[in-house]
Amino acid sequence: MEDHWTVGRVAGLAGVSVRTLHHYDEIGLVRPSARTAAGYRAYSADDVERLREVLAYRRLGFGLREVAELVGDPSTDTVAHLRRLRGLLLERRDRADAMVTAIDRELRAREKGLKVTPEEQLEMLGARLYDAIGGAYPATRRTEPRIAARIWNALGDAETVLNIGAGTGSYEPVDRNVTAVEPSAVMRGQRPAGAAPCVAAFAESLPFEDRSFDAAMAVSTVHHWGDPMAGLREMRRVARRVVVLTFDTDEPGWQNRFWLTRDHLPEFAAVLAGFPSLAGMAGAIGARAEPVPVPWDCADGLFEAYWRRPAAYLEDHVRRTMSVWTKVGPEAERRAVRSLRDDLDSGRWAERNHDLADLDAADLGLRLLIA
């Protein structure tokens, strides 16, 4: 039969049994739309596409009932499914990377004959980019009022606001009707009582109709998205105004703006190697870009927050809430901390960065995109 595939061929290509395909047919999950001349099941290209989605979700651990709901969603097309699957796979990759980091840490401890606590042994089981760092968020990651004022002012007269990559709820305006989007269960679980309702979804595939909100905001989260440009376009689709706090890598030598990446952590450049240009992101949503200086006493413990308080980067609990350290890996982290400690002890840091002592705020590359 032209443009159709037999059940045996499909099973072989997909790496599943014919019995599995028969079961999917019986429960209505993937029903072949044709029959061969001999009466056997035959799959069209659309059938194969649906099967691909079903098997991908199954291999990510979704139950059959969950898969049926996902692939049966009439508002989600193939591209949206692929974006969702890509995000899930990237999340799984980040979890695996964090688990490797935890295992390496335990191996080093055991090789030195050090006792490994039950807490340390269990760390690897919950490790995920945000699951690994998210538990420490309330200690150092909170709203910085001067940055918040810039974001909230950019929202203009918006009454309904979608906060994407919302985390624990920092920077959500309390005087607007806010809906949050956050894929991490750990982060959602730390949202305070009375916080805005939070939807488990990815930026690249927002489950909302066009122009559902007056404004969509995203604060220090775009670099964690599987497809930043797709996520930005989704923001533009669901809201008439878009406000994004992100990072500028367009300026030549941008990694030298911050002494930590310039002198101690050159690997930071690789972390953002595939990150879209600021001009590209601005162009995708028709935005203008405004610099957002980081106050010297910034209350939000983001990566650049301690630019005038260098000793903070020696503290493990401070670094644990910064995803950069998870991404560069334990060897780079240990080397950077050792190098910084040496510079602080020797006075080299103060000598190299004496010009920072009198600054109240520094431009370290944070940019607010407003569309």
Side-chain angles (χ1 to χ4, degrees):
M1 181 180 292
E2 188 177 355
D3 296 329
H4 283 77
W5 292 263
T6 65
V7 65
R9 185 183 178 196
V10 170
L13 290 171
V16 298
S17 67
V18 170
R19 183 176 180 178
T20 294
L21 297 183
H22 286 174
H23 179 60
Y24 288 172
D25 185 7
E26 290 166 1
I27 64 175
L29 189 56
V30 183
R31 283 184 169 153
S33 57
R35 294 275 173 173
T36 66
Y40 295 110
R41 296 173 173 88
Y43 292 78
S44 69
D46 288 341
D47 300 334
V48 171
E49 186 175 275
R50 181 180 174 93
L51 176 64
R52 187 271 311 278
E53 293 164 0
V54 167
L55 293 176
Y57 284 123
R58 287 289 285 154
R59 289 168 186 173
L60 284 168
F62 287 88
L64 287 176
R65 182 173 296 179
E66 294 175 299
V67 172
E69 292 176 355
L70 287 167
V71 300
D73 182 357
S75 66
T76 306
D77 60 13
T78 300
V79 171
H81 279 299
L82 288 173
R83 287 175 177 165
R84 178 185 287 163
L85 287 166
R86 186 176 188 275
L88 289 167
L89 287 166
L90 288 170
E91 181 181 347
R92 179 162 293 188
R93 183 194 66 185
D94 289 335
R95 181 187 296 133
D97 288 345
M99 288 179 71
V100 169
T101 299
I103 290 171
D104 287 344
R105 188 178 298 121
E106 181 172 338
L107 284 172
R108 289 192 300 273
R110 291 185 182 277
E111 288 168 357
K112 295 177 181 178
L114 301 176
K115 182 179 179 180
V116 180
T117 68
E119 291 83 2
E120 291 169 332
Q121 292 174 22
L122 293 174
E123 177 186 355
M124 62 170 287
L125 299 178
R128 183 174 90 179
L129 181 60
Y130 272 119
D131 289 356
I133 67 176
Y137 255 58
T140 63
R141 299 304 299 268
R142 47 189 177 270
T143 301
E144 161 51 53
R146 286 156 290 193
I147 294 177
R150 296 284 303 276
I151 295 169
W152 297 342
N153 182 64
L155 292 174
D157 60 356
E159 296 181 0
T160 57
V161 177
L162 181 66
N163 184 21
I164 302 167
T168 59
S170 297
Y171 298 100
E172 288 178 3
V174 296
D175 59 342
R176 327 253 182 154
N177 182 1
V178 177
T179 299
V181 168
E182 172 54 52
S184 169
V186 167
M187 301 296 276
R188 293 196 304 272
Q190 294 182 85
R191 291 177 63 82
C198 191
V199 176
F202 293 92
E204 298 91 337
S205 183
L206 296 173
F208 305 105
E209 299 293 331
D210 294 358
R211 297 300 178 100
S212 298
F213 300 89
D214 294 332
M217 59 183 279
V219 179
S220 298
T221 180
V222 174
H223 54 289
H224 293 304
W225 298 353
D227 187 340
M229 299 299 280
L232 291 169
R233 287 191 291 268
E234 277 287 87
M235 292 181 73
R236 178 81 282 181
R237 179 183 67 79
V238 302
R240 62 177 178 82
R241 177 180 289 265
V242 176
V243 177
V244 178
L245 183 66
T246 186
F247 193 80
D248 178 13
T249 59
D250 289 1
E251 181 183 337
W254 61 267
Q255 62 267 40
N256 295 324
R257 283 183 301 225
F258 185 21
W259 55 262
L260 182 57
T261 56
R262 181 193 66 207
D263 299 333
H264 307 288
L265 195 66
E267 292 84 355
F268 180 70
V271 170
L272 294 179
F275 193 57
S277 68
L278 185 73
M281 291 188 289
I285 56 176
R288 69 178 188 276
E290 297 180 355
V292 180
V294 180
W296 79 268
D297 55 349
C298 185
D300 186 355
L302 45 81
F303 181 58
E304 301 85 0
Y306 305 96
W307 58 270
R308 220 181 83 177
R309 296 169 286 170
Y313 293 103
L314 303 180
E315 301 295 330
D316 185 73
H317 77 278
V318 170
R319 298 195 306 277
R320 291 287 67 78
T321 62
M322 301 171 181
S323 62
V324 167
W325 301 105
T326 301
K327 288 182 174 293
V328 299
E331 291 187 11
E333 180 178 1
R334 286 196 304 273
R335 195 209 64 255
V337 170
R338 184 170 59 249
S339 172
L340 174 57
R341 181 179 286 110
D342 290 345
D343 274 10
L344 289 172
D345 290 345
S346 68
R348 284 192 298 269
W349 185 91
E351 182 180 350
R352 289 174 180 169
N353 302 288
H354 62 87
D355 56 325
L356 303 181
D358 296 325
L359 295 182
D360 292 328
D363 180 2
L364 299 174
L366 291 186
R367 297 291 183 266
L368 196 62
L369 297 179
I370 306 172

